[in-house]
Structures are given as structure tokens and as C-alpha cells.
Amino acid sequence: GNGDIFVMDADGSNQTNLTNDVGPYKFPSWSPDGSKIVFVKSSEIWVMNSDGSNQVQVSPSGGTANTPAWSPDGSKILFSSQRAGYSEWATEVFVMDADGSNQTQISNHADSDLTASWSPDGSKIVFGSNRDNPSSHDIFVMDANGSNQTNLTNTSSGGSLERRSETNPSWSPDGTKITYRRSEAANAGDIWVMDADGSNQTKLS
């Protein structure tokens, strides 16, 4: 009943279970050189070899951790966690070295910051947050050290409390665009794309 992590060829063939344990395992992500996979097991961040061997917990225990992502050079891992202690549901963005050392909180707000992603050059981080609107999430961008946090989608602009959720942002390989998921009212969610400065928001799906 718990999730495992599988790998397969790009055409769907050769599906192989890498974990084969009680788990649950979730949020797998390849290292840039393809040699390792970071994932979540039992609410902590783990790393294993690409064949499933040598599974090692790298995040210190003490707070739910989710959605890990490697830095472009493979030296660091981003993740979201409730370990900041604001409330039982508020998550913040953290970064640590790939071996789990030097864990640092880089977003700091009593609401939830989550699903962070590195820019291709490693200089910026995009993430979702409901800090400007308790009813909705917007897409924000910040420098890699947590400074210059900027709302790109502005769901709550003009004082509106529109119920709209924008999460799961991801950079294009050239760093000029950001894709994200937007759900509105009865709509379960679509894929959108925008320029990296938040302009030209376009629905794709």
C-alpha cells in the first residue's frame, strides 16, 4: 500500500523497482550527472545510487520534508519542510549540501513556501507561496541565498481574494520561461507558462 520508486526507459520499457521496501517513497529526482536519485522516505530526504543501492538519509530528522531538487551543479539540494516551527502546516524552503550538511532556511514566512526549483544557472529559485493571499498560492522567485523574493503571478493584486492555486514551478532549460500548475474554482488544474519575469502568462493544457 506504500509507494515505491521505479525507473524506466524513456519509451516506458524496462520498468524496474529501485526501492522494494515499506516506504513510502516519493518525489524522486535525478542528480545532474545521473548517478544518484534524491527522494523522500518517511518524511525525510534520502539519496541513493541510480540503481537503488546505498540509500542514505541526508536531512536531519525533525520535520516533514518534501519535493527535493538538485542544484544544477549537483552540490546542493533544495527541499520544503515544516521544521521551521511556525505551525503544523506552514512549510519553508531549505537548502543543504548534497551530503546533508549546512542545512539553511532560505525562505522565512509564517505561511507556506513550497515546491521550489532552481534556475538552470543556479542563481535563482522559483517557488509557490500563499503569503500574499491565504486562499491561494502564487509563484515567487528569489535569489539563491533567499534575498529579493518577488511575486511573479500576483493572484491577490488589487486586494482580491480570488481562490486560485499556482504551484509546482519549473524553469525552461535556457532559463527564459517558467512552467507551473494553476487550478481555479472547479478546474482541477492546467499547465501554464510565463516569461521568467512573470509576463506573458499563457495556458498550455
Side-chain angles (χ1 to χ4, degrees), residues 187-203:
N187 187 339
D190 283 295
I191 305 301
W192 287 65
V193 66
M194 61 183 169
D195 293 346
D197 63 1
S199 61
N200 297 318
Q201 297 176 23
T202 305
K203 184 178 178 180

Side-chain angles (χ1 to χ4, degrees), residues 53 79 106 165 183 197:
S53 64
F79 63 99
I106 57 173
S165 181
S183 58
D197 63 1

Side-chain angles (χ1 to χ4, degrees), residues 35-99:
S35 67
K36 295 184 180 297
I37 296 170
V38 65
F39 60 97
V40 171
K41 176 187 176 184
S42 301
S43 300
E44 293 299 342
I45 307 297
W46 291 61
V47 171
M48 64 182 169
N49 295 333
S50 59
D51 62 0
S53 64
N54 194 30
Q55 297 183 22
V56 178
Q57 180 180 333
V58 293
S59 70
S61 298
T64 300
N66 283 302
T67 58
W70 295 90
S71 62
D73 65 2
S75 67
K76 297 181 182 298
I77 296 172
L78 272 178
F79 63 99
S80 299
S81 178
Q82 297 166 326
R83 66 193 64 216
Y86 293 117
S87 72
E88 62 180 356
W89 50 265
T91 60
E92 298 298 326
V93 179
F94 289 76
V95 66
M96 62 184 171
D97 293 345
D99 63 1

